[in-house]
Amino acid sequence: MDRRSILDDLFEINHIRTIYHMFISVLFLFIISTLAVDYIDQGRLVLEFDLLSYAFGKLHIVALAWLLMFSYTLAVPYYALALWGTLYHRSPVQGVLSVGAGLVLSALQAAVLGVLPIYVVFHYQLPPASRFIIILEQIRFLMKSYSFIRENVPVILKHKTKEEVPRFPTFSSYLYFLFAPTLIYRECYPRNPHIRWNYVGVTFAKILGCLFYGYFILVRLCIPVFMNDSNTPFSTRTLVLALFHATLPGMLLLLLAFFAFLHCWLNAFAEMLRFADRMFYKDWWNSTSFANYYRTWNVVVHDWLYYYGYRDFLWLSRRKFRTAAMLSVFAVSALVHEYVFTLGFGFFYPVMFCLFAFFGVAFNFTLNDKRKSPVWNIMMWTCLFIGQGVMVCLYCQEWYAQIHLPRYDSTAILQYTVPRYDSTAILQ
């Protein structure tokens, strides 16, 4: 349907727009405080963005890896489906034989999309933001490929008229789908009559502003605290203080990620593609239950999980195991989130998996849709603050632990234990 984003409608209200202006003023305060501290410490105004340049380093490698993933996603699913559909229409036997060719092409694409990003991330030692770009694009291409095949194979199988070749999706529709801000394939989508290039420019400027906002939050509120904590002995008091200190920056980072990606990034591409359905999220901030929050926070991913995870599970089980279907969706979501964080940060620390697989499931069944009182909205926000504080606190502590704590291996231990009577051994 032709639907606008909720925030675009809300920003037309003066009261809501004032809250948006307050967030912008906080960004200006971060900039002013950073300039003031640098001037006091160094005697001059310094506004360097070394953290951003480090986090988004080696972008040329990211671009080449993305181009290769995109090329395979563009060619392999489309032509494999066209080959199989044509042969299956001519003869079921040929269709069965073509399945082998299709499986080979699918295995080739799975190898490229499954192995290539991981190889690039580790072989070239990419920084965190560049890693997240490659891994998230890997997942996006896999989800889109699956949706394209899942939507078209049943159409070909149901086509019973052998005099006519089944109608295959056009290449242009598949190419449009790869860039469209949706994960559900359709032959056509609602389109707007024209492109508002001013809106596109302003939206990309907001994304850039969110990047700088996140930079100042990390530099002013996170790095000084956790960098100093890494040099102090561990204690329960230190952990609790660090956790509650991280709740505010953690929540700000969550809101920035939501605004930058789910609102600005998706709306910018939707505007350039004249994609009219802008319901990428709903009013999750009004949720009185986590069940409703999960459905409204990210509608794009939720729809994919609902159609191809939850609903297909019910179809296979003949609608007998609704709870198992829901748990399977949570399990897949938890594993994928943990996969992204593990490869993005470069270490395995299953905080995200535990929050999704255990606390997320528990909150989904306890704080369910029966909760309608505003008190439950307060409870939801409190849990979000604490959850974001736990994530920022533990991941920051582990990040600095990976940097400061030495890694021991067997060869290093032998070098220190076996005596060597030469100058290098004495220096060691």
Side-chain angles (χ1 to χ4, degrees), residues 8 16 21 48 54 68 73 91 124 142 145 162-164 177 181 195 216 220 229 304 309 329 342 347 368 373 395:
D8 285 337
I16 304 299
H21 295 162
E48 298 177 349
Y54 158 72
L68 188 56
T73 306
S91 170
Y124 293 99
L142 287 172
S145 301
K162 294 188 177 182
E163 288 75 13
E164 298 179 1
F177 168 64
I195 302 174
F216 284 113
R220 303 301 301 166
D229 286 348
W304 193 93
V329 171
T342 298
F347 54 80
N368 50 39
S373 172
Y395 277 113

Side-chain angles (χ1 to χ4, degrees), residues 341 345 349 351-352 391-399:
F341 272 66
F345 289 123
Y349 197 47
V351 177
M352 175 60 77
M391 288 180 56
V392 171
C393 173
L394 295 183
Y395 277 113
C396 285
Q397 287 183 342
E398 182 63 20
W399 176 271

Side-chain angles (χ1 to χ4, degrees), residues 70-266:
F70 172 75
S71 301
Y72 272 84
T73 306
L74 180 64
V76 173
Y78 183 82
Y79 289 109
L81 182 69
L83 174 64
W84 173 78
T86 303
L87 295 178
Y88 182 83
H89 170 71
R90 292 176 180 175
S91 170
V93 176
Q94 292 181 348
V96 172
L97 294 176
S98 68
V99 171
L103 289 176
V104 172
L105 292 175
S106 300
L108 180 62
Q109 187 207 15
V112 172
L113 291 182
V115 178
L116 176 66
I118 301 175
Y119 171 79
V120 171
V121 163
F122 287 106
H123 179 74
Y124 293 99
Q125 292 296 306
L126 297 182
S130 299
R131 291 185 176 207
F132 277 108
I133 293 174
I134 289 183
I135 299 304
L136 291 175
E137 283 297 283
Q138 172 199 26
I139 296 172
R140 186 177 73 91
F141 284 139
L142 287 172
M143 295 172 75
K144 281 182 176 281
S145 301
Y146 182 85
S147 176
F148 175 74
I149 296 173
R150 171 65 180 80
E151 293 293 335
N152 287 285
V153 167
V155 176
I156 297 174
L157 293 176
K158 292 178 182 178
H159 187 81
K160 298 181 179 180
T161 305
K162 294 188 177 182
E163 288 75 13
E164 298 179 1
V165 177
R167 184 174 180 271
F168 295 114
T170 61
F171 184 78
S172 59
S173 66
Y174 179 57
L175 178 62
Y176 181 88
F177 168 64
L178 290 182
F179 287 98
T182 179
L183 296 174
I184 307 296
Y185 175 79
R186 294 291 183 267
E187 184 68 19
C188 60
Y189 299 94
R191 307 285 289 274
N192 289 328
H194 60 275
I195 302 174
R196 298 172 296 170
W197 289 107
N198 289 336
Y199 179 86
V200 174
V202 171
T203 305
F204 277 117
K206 291 178 180 179
I207 297 174
L208 188 62
C210 289
L211 285 178
F212 287 109
Y213 212 137
Y215 164 80
F216 284 113
I217 290 174
L218 292 174
V219 170
R220 303 301 301 166
L221 300 180
C222 294
I223 292 178
V225 175
F226 293 102
M227 185 171 58
N228 294 329
D229 286 348
S230 62
N231 299 322
T232 59
F234 175 81
S235 65
T236 304
R237 181 179 182 275
T238 303
L239 177 62
V240 172
L241 290 177
L243 190 152
F244 282 100
H245 177 87
T247 54
L248 179 59
M251 200 64 216
L252 288 175
L253 291 173
L254 178 69
L255 295 176
L256 283 174
F258 159 75
F259 182 75
F261 180 73
L262 289 176
H263 179 72
C264 295
W265 183 266
L266 296 183

